[in-house]
Amino acid sequence: MADAVTAPRQPVHLADYRAPAFAVDQVELEFDLHPQATQVRARLHMHRRSAGQLHLDGRKLKLLEIRLDGEELGDNSYHVDEAGLTIYEVPDRFTLETLVEICPAENTELSGLYMSGSGFFTQCEPEGFRKITFFPDRPDVMARYRVRMTADAQKYPVLLSNGNKLAEGTENARNWAEWEDPHPKPSYLFALVAADLVAVRDEFVTMSGRRVELGIWVERGDETRCGHAMESLKTAMRWDEDTFGLEYDLDVFNIAAVADFNAGAMENKGLNIFNTAYVLASPETATDTDFQNVERVIAHEYFHNWTGDRVTCRDWFQLSLKEGLTVFRDQEFMADQFSAAVKRIADVRLLRATQFRDDAGPLAHPVRPASYLEINNFYTTTIYEKGAEVVRMYRTLMGREAFRRGMDNYIRDNDNSAATVEDFFAAMQAAVPEHNIWQILRWYDQAGTPEITFEETYNPTNRSFMLTLRQHTNPTPGQESKLPFLMPVTVGLLDENGNEMLEETLVFHQAEQNFVFSHIDKPPVASLFRNFSAPVKLKGQSRERLAFLAAKDTDLFNRWDALQQYASAALLEAVAAHQAGRIFQLDAGLQDAIAATLRQAPRDQAFTAEALILPSESLLADDMAVVDPDAIHAVREAARATLGAALRDRFNSMYWECAKVNPADHSGPAMAARALKNAALAYLCAAGDVPRAWEQFNQGANMTDTLAALTQLADKPGEKREAALAAFYDEWKDTPLVLDKWFSVQARANAPDTLARVRALTQHEAFDLRNPNRVRALIGAFSTNQAKFHDASGDGYRLLADMVLRLDETNPQVAARLIAALGPWRRFAPARQALMRTELERILARGKLSPNTYEMASKALA
């Protein structure tokens, strides 16, 4: 069961940080594993660093024994409450031994030690270790761990933990194993697995010639779907050596996959624990996107070995120090594996669709928050994706070589310690002592997305071009006024034919700033923020300028972005016309731009597939003063249908040309061809060619094509839709990750009955509220369905609130994250505002509510 509160607990403030009063030198843990009553014996070898009583965090722990330096403590020597264990007097150096009992089988929060599938697993970030034993559970307490586990030999034959295995054996029908991690680590990186798993094994030879044993541990029967994950791991290990000079530092590297997991994966030192969704992949069960996600997440967690494990964060306010930095690293890795431009587009699309929206609403917070009530609520795209953009700005400002010197400084100066964003800044500044970049720290402490406007002046007399930039950031909760940000602005000047006259990166750090370019022979067109050089909103580009850039910009990202902005302007104009009762008419320039994009397809299929996607309904909503989801949906669907009909021959030709690719080929070019084929399929189906989707679905060439076809069929009520959904379910009902796709397709469908279907699916025998993947597949996916979630009846809001309240009783982490869908309630018309607010108030009216859900709901209403 989840913790509950009747009143809000006190927030934690960054300003109140104090170094720990006690350090832990060595941890010895003994686990006697039983589902209902696991006993954990902990010996903590500690010493005092400052005055004060010893307090150890602990939750839901039954204390059986407690000894100080071998002597049993009396009841008057310590106190246990719901927050942990306090010992009144201890010497300056001592060994504390405790024995506690916990119940993994009843741990539905999936934090700490819990059971899933064939055995025991842990998740300790951020505060799960305190549910295992009494401990100073904070990132800046780093210690070396030695672990011994015993478990039923038949039921749990595999026993894994951090570091290197020392010994193993069997006694009295129980297995035992001992592991030791030679590197100091915080408690949140502790990991344990005891289960009936099988391993897919390989090895990696490091750049210094050491052999590392690699193991991916999965449930029996899943071994055949681990090949891609293993190859991804080895590729990531080599890339980190080649790119950052970072070599793996243990004898073994293990990954264990678990079906019940609140996040994607966890970077525990030497024993990464993964959601099965990011390990298992085969052409029959996984889409191209799944294959790429497996590679990305495998790389991300491996890269944490240095940026997160060897160098961790001092406190949770510094969370982006490891997560933003490591996201940047996995973005660069993926860009090197596939198309760099398409990867950049995908990353920015995610940032705009999620983080920009958060920045504009009541849930906005800085990359380094000033306070939190529940740290689990701050695992957000602001911490991860916006944090990665800040790291990218460092590199853009410094240059690649200097950035690498800065990374070397950072690792060297902070190895085996807990660092802050100031430590990262100091390492970077030391690499470029000739430049003062201190102002970049404002990105960590100020929330909001800067809005940039510009003016251009060309002087033919002295052949100069002046660019004036202005920045403004709107108020966010607790921050009414903002100081100017430091940002790199990569600018390209183009002539009337699109030829590049120059490219330069400007340093923009004032509210208003002029930049003068000399020896410019003719009036240029400025391509601003190339490759999205800063996470900002660029305002004021005319439709004519956007059309020019979409057709002729030499920067692929800006070419895509110009087309997106042009399409947004055209569609929002059509939305206004729809609201006024006028018949939809497609903007001729938009049709020409899509046609031109199709003509360029042979040069770059991956880019073309991205460029063909119209701005999403949620992104269009972000640009409306008052969101009208019905009008947005009607216009976007009309635009897709009109384009599909007007360019039918071109889409058809493109479809058949791309269909020639081998269905089993998962190379970059093959994935690009399938993406373009299925983009064409979407337009053709929008124009009425549903039989094309039916034919592709029945071919069942691979999961990418099958799911793309099913997605189109799910939008169209009728016999084919029902037959396809039934056939898919019958084939994949026993494969959980594929069945998640079945739920998700229906939750995102544009069909008139989507809301009713989703409510019915919550009662389906295959829907399991205890499994986070299944909840995200149905409820999470539905909450992103702009038109259906925001049904005028308010039933979509009620459904979400019902799920939040049910989940809060068992898994408050997952429950709280669903509330974000109700956060932008103020941006809608009064009727929808009232309906959304009512559901938020209903959530808060619950007598006992977890801190996670309370914080998110109360902030949404604030």
Side-chain angles (χ1 to χ4, degrees), residues 499-559:
N499 297 313
E500 191 169 294
M501 303 163 70
L502 64 81
E503 182 180 88
E504 185 176 334
T505 297
L506 312 175
V507 180
F508 179 30
H509 61 93
Q510 301 174 11
E512 179 176 327
Q513 211 166 333
N514 295 324
F515 301 92
V516 177
F517 302 84
S518 302
H519 309 295
I520 306 299
D521 294 329
K522 58 184 72 174
V525 176
S527 169
L528 303 176
F529 292 96
R530 295 186 129 195
N531 205 40
F532 202 63
S533 60
V536 302
K537 294 181 179 179
L538 179 61
K539 300 288 189 177
Q541 297 196 91
S542 68
R543 199 85 70 86
E544 294 73 22
R545 178 194 187 91
L546 291 171
F548 174 87
L549 293 173
K552 299 183 177 181
D553 202 332
T554 52
D555 181 81
L556 276 182
F557 175 85
N558 271 18
R559 180 180 290 182

Side-chain angles (χ1 to χ4, degrees), residues 268-328:
N268 317 298
K269 184 73 178 174
L271 175 56
N272 287 186
I273 298 181
F274 267 65
N275 188 319
T276 51
Y278 298 104
V279 171
L280 306 180
S282 66
E284 299 78 20
T285 62
T287 66
D288 291 343
T289 298
D290 293 331
F291 272 89
Q292 291 183 330
N293 283 338
V294 167
E295 186 160 11
R296 175 182 58 82
V297 178
I298 289 280
H300 179 95
E301 304 307 331
Y302 173 75
F303 295 156
H304 266 311
N305 186 65
W306 285 95
T307 53
D309 293 1
R310 285 286 287 262
V311 182
T312 191
C313 52
R314 186 195 71 178
D315 53 70
W316 293 121
F317 297 100
Q318 322 293 328
L319 179 59
S320 189
L321 180 64
K322 74 181 184 75
E323 295 300 349
L325 176 56
T326 305
V327 167
F328 167 78

